[in-house]
Amino acid sequence: MSAGETHPRILLVTGSTRGGSTNTAALRSVADPGGRAVTELFEGLADLPAFNPDDDRDPLPASVEALRCQMGSAAGVLFCSPEYAGALPGSFKNLLDWMVGGGGLYGKPVAWINVAGPGRAAAADQSLAVVLGYLGAEVVEAACRHVVVPRDAVGADGLIRDEALRADLAEAMRAFVDHIASGSDALDPGRSP
Ligand SMILES: Cc1cc2nc3c(=O)[nH]c(=O)nc-3n(C[C@H](O)[C@H](O)[C@H](O)COP(=O)(O)O)c2cc1C
């Protein structure tokens, strides 16, 4: 990037609340996209209250305010969620329900990585596509990937060490950053030409 340009900030959002989560580990392991973007892991999934339209007004619950602020200011959002009972986990759907108000994902580039085993969790992808469609997000298909992450690939530090897996995850992030960089003028209308 040339002088004066800022790195796009990508928010990483896991759909799992589990310690040792393969989904969270995948996101932690793509957290350094080679100096072309900065990343931030959203850590407040379990802190969000159950969505209630009556509470979707100022002052918002602090955890919801933080979510909307981080999503709204990100240049893109990368999701990684397990499938529970043939759909998205309730806690993750709850997060997405809170994003309907405020419109923070409208027109926002988003992608997802699915880390489930072969042939599994297709319904999670489909559910996420439907919900993101309602939210008006721009799904970057070229950056969406299936990268199987077995539980024993996650180290005690919550990171994936396997180089082949890390390379596949990094490739997804590279495709996502490429897309965001190609539209950066549109994403940052205040930037000088
Ligand atoms: C309540 C529950 C329901 C699940 N339902 C499904 C399912 O429908 N399809 C699937 O592929 N895996 C299912 N799984 C397996 C999880 O997706 C798997 O444990 C995954 O590793 C969880 O992601 P994590 O490691 O990030 O926590 C389910 C697990 C739990 C706890």
Side-chain angles (χ1 to χ4, degrees):
M1 289 197 156
S2 59
E5 286 181 294
T6 54
H7 295 310
R9 192 173 60 80
I10 296 174
L11 189 66
L12 309 174
V13 178
T14 177
S16 177
T17 52
R18 194 173 69 81
S21 160
T22 51
N23 287 274
T24 309
L27 291 175
R28 285 205 175 104
S29 301
V30 292
D32 178 13
R36 298 174 59 223
V38 294
T39 59
E40 181 180 8
L41 180 67
F42 179 72
E43 310 224 42
L45 177 62
D47 300 328
L48 295 168
F51 177 72
N52 182 339
D54 292 340
D55 298 332
D56 194 358
R57 59 169 66 99
D58 288 331
L60 288 167
S63 55
V64 176
E65 184 72 46
L67 169 71
R68 288 191 182 174
C69 186
Q70 287 180 68
M71 285 251 189
S73 61
V77 182
L78 183 63
F79 295 101
C80 195
S81 175
E83 177 176 299
Y84 281 178
L88 297 175
S91 54
F92 181 47
K93 177 62 163 55
N94 184 57
L95 177 152
L96 294 168
D97 286 344
W98 276 114
M99 287 309 298
V100 175
L105 278 176
Y106 190 81
K108 180 97 52 195
V110 299
W112 65 78
I113 299 172
N114 187 324
V115 301
R120 300 190 59 166
D125 288 358
Q126 289 156 11
S127 297
L128 187 55
V130 169
V131 177
L132 291 172
Y134 277 97
L135 290 166
E138 179 206 357
V139 177
V140 181
E141 300 283 354
C144 296
R145 294 279 190 290
H146 277 245
V147 179
V148 177
V149 177
R151 286 194 178 189
D152 62 8
V154 181
D157 57 359
L159 292 171
I160 296 164
R161 294 267 169 255
D162 183 281
E163 286 303 326
L165 285 179
R166 291 181 67 88
D168 287 348
L169 294 166
E171 213 286 305
M173 177 59 100
R174 193 160 35 248
F176 195 39
V177 175
D178 282 349
H179 179 89
I180 289 171
S182 72
S184 57
D185 287 335
L187 286 169
D188 186 3
R191 210 179 73 185
S192 50

